[in-house]
Amino acid sequence: MSTIPLRPAMVPVTRQMRAYFAPVNRTTETPTILDPAACGLFALDSPPVPWLDLGWIEGFARYYSTPTDVVRSGSNALPALQFRGPTEARVEFDFREWGKLQMALAGGSEHMNVLATSPSSAPAPSGGAPIAGAAVLAGSTASEIVFGAGSVNAFTAGNLIAVDVDYQQQIGYVGSGIAAAYVSNPVAVNRDLNYVRRVTFNVGRVVEVTATSVILAQPLLAGTPAAGASAQVVVAFVDREGGSFFQEWSALFVMEAESGGRVCFYYPRLSPNPGAGSSGLSVKSSPRTQAPKSGKAISTNTSVKASGSSAVGSSQKFRREEVVEIQNPLMSVALHASFIALPFTDTNDGQTVSCYRSYFPAAMAAVY
């Protein structure tokens, strides 16, 4: 056993993990690129555009399963070279904060905005026929939506609103800025004029109502509303078990550095894949109350461990939520998310990869 003390500047120490996501262009399958030289050391509260800060996460676990084998030669069948088999990389963690994007990523399929309905509307699990949208006028920006005198009275401070174009019976991806769903047949969505606003990520919180417009707490993700857009009040968010659409995003996970430098994990393409699992490194950064599985009692644990090689099949049970004890009997509810990494071709050498792990050494740390 070595008696040489560790060099602190070369030992990354962290207490929290932060998650950032950015859209993938679904038409071209082009991810959002993170260049570590250009913006790898950004301030954690101010990520570079278009990265979105989705808050601190818990239970972060990275899994990588790539079997290797060897080609043998000679009379003694000695190893001559080795090669890699099928690659599979996965990520799992818990969102501690709930929001539109967090729910969509944890759910994985179309994520619905429940649009406000009239009392006479027929009930539907994801929202019935909504109140007609208010037309968005010229002069609107990502943070201020202009409706004009009179029409603006449909909104009050505190409202959530979905701002997007009408559905025009098209086939393909829908949603301004970020692909929110894929329509294969207009009949499947009842030729609903409001369908795009039912699924759009272009949602904002009204903080102020002026004589002709509303001011939003956060800018719309798609920027200035498109010509012909309308806005409708959103009363809730709904995700569903099932659905044929798969979300796809670029992701960045940053270990907040206490000392020893910053560690980042960049996945160009991640797609939610709840229910499947593999083996790998699991990082549990806080005590949590585990929901019972197979009749076992609730337990709490804090651990950092490398798990074995047994895989967890997609048919096995999967917890959608986790509970984290605050002080008995109070518990917070976390969204459990699981992703599979999709391939990306590195333009520098043409290699197919799934993840980039970056390390930014501490000031004056030794190189090795």
Side-chain angles (χ1 to χ4, degrees), residues 172-250:
Y173 293 107
V174 296
S176 294
I178 300 171
Y182 186 91
V183 179
S184 58
N185 189 329
V187 175
V189 296
N190 300 314
R191 301 187 182 276
D192 182 7
L193 192 72
N194 306 291
Y195 182 71
V196 178
R197 288 182 290 277
R198 289 189 188 275
V199 296
T200 185
F201 286 97
N202 229 27
V203 178
R205 172 80 69 180
V206 176
V207 292
E208 181 183 349
V209 179
T210 72
T212 58
S213 66
V214 299
I215 310 299
L216 303 180
Q218 298 167 293
L220 297 174
L221 295 182
T224 300
S230 295
Q232 290 168 282
V233 173
V234 175
V235 298
F237 300 130
V238 166
D239 58 19
R240 304 171 296 184
E241 303 290 342
S244 59
F245 179 70
F246 287 90
Q247 303 277 345
E248 187 177 325
W249 294 74
S250 298

Coordinates of all heavy atoms in Angstrom, one line a residue, residues 172-250:
G172 N -45.0 15.6 -39.8 CA -43.6 15.8 -39.4 C -43.5 16.3 -38.0 O -44.5 16.3 -37.2
Y173 N -42.3 16.9 -37.7 CA -42.1 17.4 -36.3 C -42.8 18.7 -36.2 O -42.9 19.5 -37.1 CB -40.6 17.6 -36.1 CG -39.8 16.4 -36.0 CD1 -39.0 16.0 -37.1 CD2 -39.9 15.5 -34.9 CE1 -38.2 14.8 -37.0 CE2 -39.2 14.3 -34.9 CZ -38.3 14.0 -35.9 OH -37.6 12.8 -35.8
V174 N -43.4 19.0 -35.0 CA -44.1 20.2 -34.7 C -43.5 20.8 -33.5 O -43.0 20.1 -32.6 CB -45.6 20.0 -34.6 CG1 -46.2 19.5 -35.9 CG2 -45.9 19.0 -33.5
G175 N -43.7 22.1 -33.3 CA -43.2 22.9 -32.2 C -42.1 23.9 -32.6 O -41.1 23.5 -33.2
S176 N -42.3 25.1 -32.3 CA -41.3 26.1 -32.6 C -40.0 26.0 -31.8 O -40.1 25.8 -30.6 CB -41.9 27.5 -32.4 OG -42.9 27.8 -33.3
G177 N -38.9 26.0 -32.5 CA -37.6 26.0 -31.8 C -37.1 24.6 -31.4 O -36.0 24.2 -31.6
I178 N -38.0 23.8 -30.8 CA -37.7 22.5 -30.3 C -38.8 21.5 -30.7 O -40.0 21.8 -30.6 CB -37.6 22.5 -28.7 CG1 -36.6 23.4 -28.2 CG2 -37.3 21.1 -28.2 CD1 -36.6 23.7 -26.7
A179 N -38.4 20.4 -31.3 CA -39.3 19.4 -31.8 C -40.0 18.8 -30.6 O -39.4 18.2 -29.7 CB -38.7 18.3 -32.6
A180 N -41.4 19.0 -30.5 CA -42.1 18.6 -29.3 C -42.9 17.3 -29.6 O -43.3 16.6 -28.6 CB -43.1 19.7 -28.9
A181 N -43.1 17.0 -30.8 CA -43.9 15.8 -31.2 C -43.7 15.6 -32.7 O -43.2 16.4 -33.4 CB -45.4 15.9 -30.9
Y182 N -44.1 14.4 -33.1 CA -44.1 14.0 -34.6 C -45.5 13.6 -34.9 O -46.0 12.7 -34.3 CB -43.1 12.9 -34.8 CG -42.9 12.6 -36.3 CD1 -41.9 13.3 -37.1 CD2 -43.7 11.7 -37.0 CE1 -41.8 13.1 -38.4 CE2 -43.6 11.5 -38.3 CZ -42.6 12.1 -39.1 OH -42.5 11.9 -40.4
V183 N -46.0 14.2 -35.9 CA -47.4 13.9 -36.4 C -47.2 13.1 -37.7 O -46.7 13.6 -38.7 CB -48.2 15.2 -36.7 CG1 -49.6 14.8 -37.2 CG2 -48.3 16.0 -35.4
S184 N -47.7 11.8 -37.7 CA -47.6 11.0 -38.9 C -48.9 11.1 -39.7 O -48.8 10.7 -40.9 CB -47.4 9.5 -38.5 OG -48.4 9.1 -37.6
N185 N -50.0 11.5 -39.1 CA -51.2 11.6 -39.8 C -52.1 12.7 -39.1 O -52.3 12.6 -37.9 CB -52.0 10.3 -39.9 CG -53.2 10.3 -40.8 OD1 -53.8 11.3 -40.9 ND2 -53.5 9.1 -41.3
P186 N -52.6 13.7 -39.8 CA -53.4 14.7 -39.1 C -54.6 14.2 -38.4 O -55.1 14.7 -37.4 CB -53.8 15.7 -40.3 CG -52.7 15.5 -41.3 CD -52.3 14.0 -41.2
V187 N -55.1 13.0 -38.9 CA -56.3 12.4 -38.3 C -56.0 12.0 -36.9 O -56.8 12.0 -36.0 CB -56.8 11.3 -39.2 CG1 -58.0 10.5 -38.5 CG2 -57.2 11.8 -40.5
A188 N -54.7 11.6 -36.7 CA -54.3 11.0 -35.4 C -54.4 12.1 -34.3 O -54.6 11.8 -33.1 CB -52.9 10.5 -35.4
V189 N -54.3 13.4 -34.6 CA -54.4 14.5 -33.7 C -55.7 15.2 -33.9 O -55.9 16.4 -33.5 CB -53.2 15.4 -33.7 CG1 -51.9 14.7 -33.3 CG2 -53.1 16.0 -35.1
N190 N -56.7 14.6 -34.5 CA -58.0 15.1 -34.7 C -58.0 16.4 -35.5 O -58.9 17.3 -35.4 CB -58.7 15.4 -33.4 CG -58.9 14.1 -32.6 OD1 -59.3 13.1 -33.2 ND2 -58.6 14.1 -31.3
R191 N -57.0 16.6 -36.3 CA -56.8 17.9 -37.1 C -57.0 19.1 -36.2 O -57.5 20.2 -36.6 CB -57.8 17.9 -38.2 CG -57.7 16.8 -39.2 CD -58.5 16.9 -40.4 NE -58.4 15.8 -41.3 CZ -57.5 15.6 -42.2 NH1 -56.5 16.6 -42.4 NH2 -57.4 14.6 -43.0
D192 N -56.5 19.0 -34.9 CA -56.8 20.0 -33.9 C -55.9 21.2 -34.2 O -54.7 21.2 -34.2 CB -56.4 19.4 -32.5 CG -56.6 20.3 -31.4 OD1 -57.2 21.4 -31.6 OD2 -56.2 20.0 -30.3
L193 N -56.6 22.3 -34.4 CA -55.9 23.6 -34.6 C -54.9 24.0 -33.5 O -53.9 24.6 -33.7 CB -56.9 24.7 -34.8 CG -56.4 26.1 -35.3 CD1 -56.1 26.0 -36.8 CD2 -57.5 27.1 -35.1
N194 N -55.2 23.5 -32.3 CA -54.5 23.8 -31.1 C -53.4 22.8 -30.7 O -52.7 23.0 -29.7 CB -55.4 23.9 -29.9 CG -56.6 24.9 -30.1 OD1 -56.4 26.1 -30.2 ND2 -57.8 24.3 -30.3
Y195 N -53.2 21.8 -31.6 CA -52.3 20.7 -31.2 C -50.9 21.2 -30.9 O -50.2 20.7 -30.0 CB -52.3 19.6 -32.3 CG -51.4 18.4 -31.9 CD1 -51.8 17.6 -30.8 CD2 -50.2 18.2 -32.4 CE1 -51.0 16.5 -30.4 CE2 -49.4 17.2 -32.0 CZ -49.8 16.4 -31.0 OH -49.0 15.3 -30.6
V196 N -50.3 22.0 -31.8 CA -49.0 22.5 -31.5 C -48.8 23.1 -30.2 O -47.8 22.9 -29.5 CB -48.5 23.5 -32.7 CG1 -47.1 23.9 -32.4 CG2 -48.6 22.8 -34.0
R197 N -49.8 23.9 -29.8 CA -49.7 24.6 -28.4 C -49.9 23.6 -27.3 O -49.5 23.8 -26.2 CB -50.7 25.7 -28.4 CG -50.3 26.9 -29.2 CD -51.2 28.1 -29.1 NE -52.5 27.8 -29.7 CZ -52.8 28.0 -31.0 NH1 -51.8 28.4 -31.8 NH2 -54.0 27.8 -31.5
R198 N -50.6 22.4 -27.6 CA -50.7 21.4 -26.6 C -49.4 20.8 -26.2 O -49.2 20.3 -25.1 CB -51.6 20.3 -27.1 CG -53.1 20.7 -27.2 CD -54.0 19.4 -27.5 NE -55.3 19.7 -27.8 CZ -56.3 19.9 -26.9 NH1 -56.0 19.8 -25.6 NH2 -57.5 20.1 -27.2
V199 N -48.4 20.7 -27.2 CA -47.2 20.0 -27.0 C -45.9 21.0 -27.0 O -44.8 20.5 -26.6 CB -46.9 18.9 -28.0 CG1 -48.0 17.9 -27.9 CG2 -46.9 19.5 -29.4
T200 N -46.1 22.2 -27.4 CA -44.9 23.1 -27.5 C -44.1 23.3 -26.2 O -44.7 23.2 -25.1 CB -45.4 24.4 -28.1 OG1 -44.2 25.2 -28.4 CG2 -46.2 25.2 -27.1
F201 N -42.8 23.5 -26.4 CA -42.0 23.9 -25.3 C -41.9 25.4 -25.1 O -41.3 25.9 -24.2 CB -40.5 23.4 -25.5 CG -40.4 21.9 -25.2 CD1 -40.5 21.0 -26.3 CD2 -40.3 21.4 -24.0 CE1 -40.3 19.6 -26.1 CE2 -40.2 20.0 -23.7 CZ -40.2 19.2 -24.8
N202 N -42.6 26.1 -26.0 CA -42.6 27.6 -26.0 C -43.7 28.1 -24.9 O -44.7 28.6 -25.3 CB -43.0 28.1 -27.4 CG -42.0 29.2 -27.8 OD1 -40.9 29.2 -27.4 ND2 -42.5 30.1 -28.7
V203 N -43.3 27.9 -23.7 CA -44.2 28.2 -22.6 C -43.5 29.2 -21.6 O -42.3 29.1 -21.4 CB -44.6 26.9 -21.8 CG1 -45.5 27.2 -20.6 CG2 -45.3 25.9 -22.7
G204 N -44.3 30.2 -21.1 CA -43.8 31.2 -20.2 C -44.7 31.5 -19.1 O -45.9 31.3 -19.2
R205 N -44.2 32.1 -18.1 CA -45.0 32.6 -16.9 C -45.2 34.1 -17.0 O -44.2 34.8 -17.1 CB -44.3 32.2 -15.6 CG -44.9 32.8 -14.4 CD -46.1 32.0 -13.9 NE -45.7 30.7 -13.4 CZ -46.5 29.8 -12.9 NH1 -47.9 30.0 -12.9 NH2 -46.1 28.6 -12.5
V206 N -46.5 34.5 -16.9 CA -46.8 35.9 -17.0 C -46.5 36.6 -15.6 O -47.0 36.1 -14.6 CB -48.2 36.2 -17.4 CG1 -48.6 37.7 -17.3 CG2 -48.5 35.6 -18.8
V207 N -45.7 37.6 -15.6 CA -45.4 38.3 -14.3 C -46.0 39.7 -14.3 O -46.2 40.3 -13.2 CB -43.9 38.4 -14.1 CG1 -43.3 37.0 -13.8 CG2 -43.2 39.1 -15.2
E208 N -46.4 40.2 -15.5 CA -47.0 41.5 -15.5 C -47.9 41.7 -16.7 O -47.6 41.1 -17.8 CB -45.9 42.6 -15.6 CG -46.4 44.0 -15.6 CD -45.3 45.1 -15.7 OE1 -44.1 44.7 -15.6 OE2 -45.6 46.3 -16.0
V209 N -49.0 42.3 -16.6 CA -49.9 42.6 -17.7 C -50.0 44.1 -17.9 O -50.3 44.9 -17.0 CB -51.3 42.0 -17.4 CG1 -52.3 42.4 -18.6 CG2 -51.3 40.5 -17.2
T210 N -49.6 44.6 -19.1 CA -49.7 46.0 -19.4 C -51.0 46.2 -20.2 O -51.9 45.3 -20.3 CB -48.5 46.4 -20.3 OG1 -48.7 45.9 -21.6 CG2 -47.2 45.9 -19.7
A211 N -51.2 47.4 -20.7 CA -52.4 47.8 -21.4 C -52.6 47.0 -22.7 O -53.7 46.7 -23.2 CB -52.4 49.3 -21.8
T212 N -51.5 46.5 -23.3 CA -51.6 45.8 -24.6 C -50.8 44.5 -24.6 O -50.8 43.8 -25.6 CB -51.1 46.7 -25.7 OG1 -49.7 47.1 -25.4 CG2 -52.0 47.9 -25.8
S213 N -50.0 44.2 -23.6 CA -49.1 43.0 -23.7 C -48.9 42.3 -22.3 O -49.4 42.9 -21.3 CB -47.7 43.5 -24.2 OG -47.1 44.3 -23.3
V214 N -48.2 41.2 -22.3 CA -47.9 40.5 -21.1 C -46.3 40.4 -21.1 O -45.7 40.2 -22.1 CB -48.5 39.1 -21.0 CG1 -50.0 39.3 -20.9 CG2 -48.1 38.2 -22.1
I215 N -45.8 40.5 -19.9 CA -44.3 40.4 -19.7 C -44.1 39.0 -19.0 O -44.8 38.6 -18.1 CB -43.8 41.5 -18.7 CG1 -44.2 42.9 -19.2 CG2 -42.3 41.4 -18.7 CD1 -43.8 43.2 -20.6
L216 N -43.1 38.3 -19.6 CA -42.8 36.9 -19.1 C -41.6 36.9 -18.1 O -40.7 37.7 -18.3 CB -42.5 36.0 -20.3 CG -43.6 35.9 -21.4 CD1 -43.2 34.9 -22.5 CD2 -45.0 35.5 -20.7
A217 N -41.7 36.0 -17.2 CA -40.6 35.8 -16.2 C -39.3 35.3 -16.9 O -38.2 35.7 -16.5 CB -41.0 34.9 -15.1
Q218 N -39.4 34.4 -17.9 CA -38.3 33.9 -18.6 C -38.6 34.0 -20.1 O -39.8 33.8 -20.5 CB -38.1 32.4 -18.2 CG -37.7 32.2 -16.8 CD -37.8 30.7 -16.4 OE1 -38.9 30.2 -16.4 NE2 -36.6 30.1 -16.1
P219 N -37.6 34.3 -20.9 CA -37.9 34.4 -22.4 C -38.4 33.0 -23.0 O -37.9 32.0 -22.5 CB -36.6 34.8 -23.0 CG -35.6 34.5 -22.0 CD -36.2 34.5 -20.6
L220 N -39.2 33.1 -24.0 CA -39.6 31.9 -24.7 C -38.4 31.2 -25.3 O -37.5 31.8 -25.8 CB -40.6 32.2 -25.8 CG -41.9 32.8 -25.3 CD1 -42.8 33.3 -26.5 CD2 -42.7 31.8 -24.4
L221 N -38.4 29.9 -25.2 CA -37.2 29.1 -25.7 C -37.0 29.3 -27.2 O -35.9 29.2 -27.7 CB -37.4 27.6 -25.4 CG -37.4 27.3 -23.9 CD1 -37.5 25.8 -23.7 CD2 -36.2 27.8 -23.2
A222 N -38.1 29.5 -28.0 CA -37.9 29.6 -29.4 C -37.7 31.1 -29.8 O -37.6 31.4 -31.0 CB -39.1 29.1 -30.1
G223 N -37.5 32.0 -28.9 CA -37.3 33.4 -29.2 C -38.6 34.1 -29.6 O -39.7 33.8 -29.1
T224 N -38.5 35.1 -30.4 CA -39.6 35.9 -30.9 C -40.7 35.0 -31.5 O -40.3 34.2 -32.4 CB -39.2 37.0 -31.9 OG1 -38.2 37.8 -31.3 CG2 -40.4 37.8 -32.4
P225 N -41.9 35.1 -31.1 CA -43.0 34.3 -31.7 C -43.1 34.4 -33.2 O -42.9 35.4 -33.8 CB -44.3 34.8 -31.0 CG -43.8 35.4 -29.7 CD -42.5 36.0 -30.1
A226 N -43.3 33.2 -33.8 CA -43.5 33.2 -35.3 C -44.7 34.0 -35.7 O -45.7 34.1 -35.0 CB -43.5 31.8 -35.8
A227 N -44.7 34.4 -37.0 CA -45.9 35.1 -37.5 C -47.1 34.1 -37.5 O -46.9 33.0 -37.8 CB -45.6 35.5 -39.0
G228 N -48.2 34.6 -37.1 CA -49.4 33.8 -37.0 C -49.6 33.0 -35.7 O -50.5 32.2 -35.6
A229 N -48.7 33.2 -34.8 CA -48.8 32.5 -33.5 C -49.9 33.0 -32.7 O -50.4 34.2 -32.8 CB -47.5 32.7 -32.7
S230 N -50.4 32.2 -31.8 CA -51.4 32.5 -30.8 C -51.0 32.0 -29.4 O -50.0 31.3 -29.3 CB -52.8 31.9 -31.2 OG -53.3 32.4 -32.4
A231 N -51.7 32.5 -28.4 CA -51.3 32.1 -27.0 C -52.5 31.6 -26.3 O -53.6 32.1 -26.5 CB -50.7 33.3 -26.3
Q232 N -52.3 30.6 -25.5 CA -53.4 30.1 -24.7 C -52.9 29.8 -23.3 O -51.7 29.5 -23.1 CB -53.9 28.7 -25.3 CG -54.7 29.0 -26.6 CD -55.0 27.7 -27.3 OE1 -54.1 27.2 -28.0 NE2 -56.2 27.2 -27.2
V233 N -53.8 29.9 -22.3 CA -53.5 29.7 -20.9 C -53.2 28.2 -20.7 O -54.0 27.3 -21.2 CB -54.6 30.2 -20.0 CG1 -54.3 29.8 -18.5 CG2 -54.7 31.7 -20.1
V234 N -52.2 27.9 -19.9 CA -51.9 26.5 -19.5 C -52.1 26.4 -18.0 O -51.6 27.1 -17.2 CB -50.4 26.2 -19.8 CG1 -50.0 24.8 -19.3 CG2 -50.1 26.3 -21.3
V235 N -52.9 25.3 -17.7 CA -53.3 25.2 -16.3 C -52.4 24.1 -15.6 O -52.3 24.0 -14.4 CB -54.8 24.8 -16.1 CG1 -55.6 26.0 -16.6 CG2 -55.1 23.5 -16.8
A236 N -51.8 23.2 -16.4 CA -51.0 22.1 -15.8 C -50.1 21.5 -16.9 O -50.3 21.7 -18.1 CB -51.9 21.0 -15.2
F237 N -49.2 20.6 -16.5 CA -48.4 19.8 -17.4 C -48.8 18.4 -17.2 O -49.0 17.9 -16.1 CB -46.9 20.0 -17.2 CG -46.4 21.4 -17.4 CD1 -45.7 22.1 -16.4 CD2 -46.8 22.2 -18.5 CE1 -45.2 23.4 -16.6 CE2 -46.3 23.5 -18.7 CZ -45.5 24.1 -17.7
V238 N -48.8 17.6 -18.3 CA -49.1 16.2 -18.2 C -48.1 15.4 -19.1 O -47.9 15.7 -20.2 CB -50.6 15.9 -18.7 CG1 -50.8 14.4 -19.0 CG2 -51.6 16.4 -17.7
D239 N -47.5 14.3 -18.5 CA -46.8 13.3 -19.3 C -47.6 12.0 -19.1 O -48.5 11.9 -18.3 CB -45.3 13.2 -18.9 CG -45.1 12.8 -17.4 OD1 -46.1 12.3 -16.8 OD2 -44.0 13.0 -16.9
R240 N -47.3 11.1 -20.0 CA -48.1 9.9 -20.1 C -47.2 8.7 -20.2 O -46.1 8.7 -20.8 CB -49.0 9.9 -21.3 CG -49.9 11.2 -21.4 CD -50.6 11.3 -22.7 NE -49.7 11.6 -23.8 CZ -50.1 11.8 -25.0 NH1 -51.4 11.8 -25.3 NH2 -49.2 12.0 -26.0
E241 N -47.6 7.5 -19.7 CA -46.9 6.3 -19.8 C -47.3 5.8 -21.2 O -48.4 5.5 -21.5 CB -47.4 5.3 -18.8 CG -47.2 5.7 -17.3 CD -45.7 5.8 -16.9 OE1 -44.9 5.2 -17.6 OE2 -45.4 6.5 -15.9
G242 N -46.3 5.6 -22.1 CA -46.5 5.2 -23.5 C -46.3 6.3 -24.4 O -45.6 7.3 -24.1
G243 N -46.8 6.2 -25.6 CA -46.6 7.2 -26.7 C -45.5 6.7 -27.6 O -44.6 5.9 -27.2
S244 N -45.5 7.1 -28.9 CA -44.6 6.6 -29.9 C -43.4 7.6 -30.1 O -42.4 7.2 -30.8 CB -45.3 6.4 -31.2 OG -45.9 7.6 -31.7
F245 N -43.5 8.8 -29.6 CA -42.5 9.8 -29.8 C -41.4 9.7 -28.8 O -41.6 9.4 -27.6 CB -43.1 11.2 -29.8 CG -42.1 12.3 -30.0 CD1 -41.5 12.5 -31.2 CD2 -41.8 13.2 -29.0 CE1 -40.6 13.6 -31.4 CE2 -40.9 14.2 -29.2 CZ -40.3 14.4 -30.4
F246 N -40.1 9.9 -29.2 CA -39.0 9.9 -28.3 C -38.3 11.2 -28.3 O -37.9 11.7 -29.4 CB -37.9 8.8 -28.7 CG -38.4 7.4 -28.4 CD1 -39.1 6.7 -29.3 CD2 -38.1 6.8 -27.2 CE1 -39.5 5.4 -29.1 CE2 -38.5 5.5 -26.9 CZ -39.2 4.8 -27.8
Q247 N -38.1 11.8 -27.2 CA -37.4 13.1 -27.1 C -35.9 12.8 -27.4 O -35.4 11.7 -27.2 CB -37.5 13.6 -25.6 CG -38.8 13.9 -25.1 CD -39.4 15.2 -25.5 OE1 -38.6 16.1 -26.0 NE2 -40.7 15.4 -25.4
E248 N -35.2 13.8 -27.9 CA -33.8 13.7 -28.1 C -33.2 15.1 -27.8 O -33.6 16.1 -28.4 CB -33.5 13.3 -29.5 CG -32.0 13.0 -29.8 CD -31.7 12.5 -31.2 OE1 -32.5 11.8 -31.7 OE2 -30.6 12.8 -31.7
W249 N -32.1 15.1 -27.0 CA -31.5 16.3 -26.5 C -30.0 16.1 -26.4 O -29.5 15.0 -26.3 CB -32.0 16.7 -25.1 CG -33.5 17.1 -25.1 CD1 -34.6 16.2 -25.2 CD2 -34.0 18.4 -25.0 NE1 -35.7 16.9 -25.2 CE2 -35.4 18.3 -25.0 CE3 -33.5 19.7 -24.9 CZ2 -36.3 19.4 -25.0 CZ3 -34.3 20.8 -24.8 CH2 -35.7 20.6 -24.8
S250 N -29.3 17.2 -26.4 CA -27.9 17.2 -26.0 C -27.8 17.5 -24.5 O -28.7 18.3 -24.0 CB -27.1 18.3 -26.8 OG -27.1 18.1 -28.2

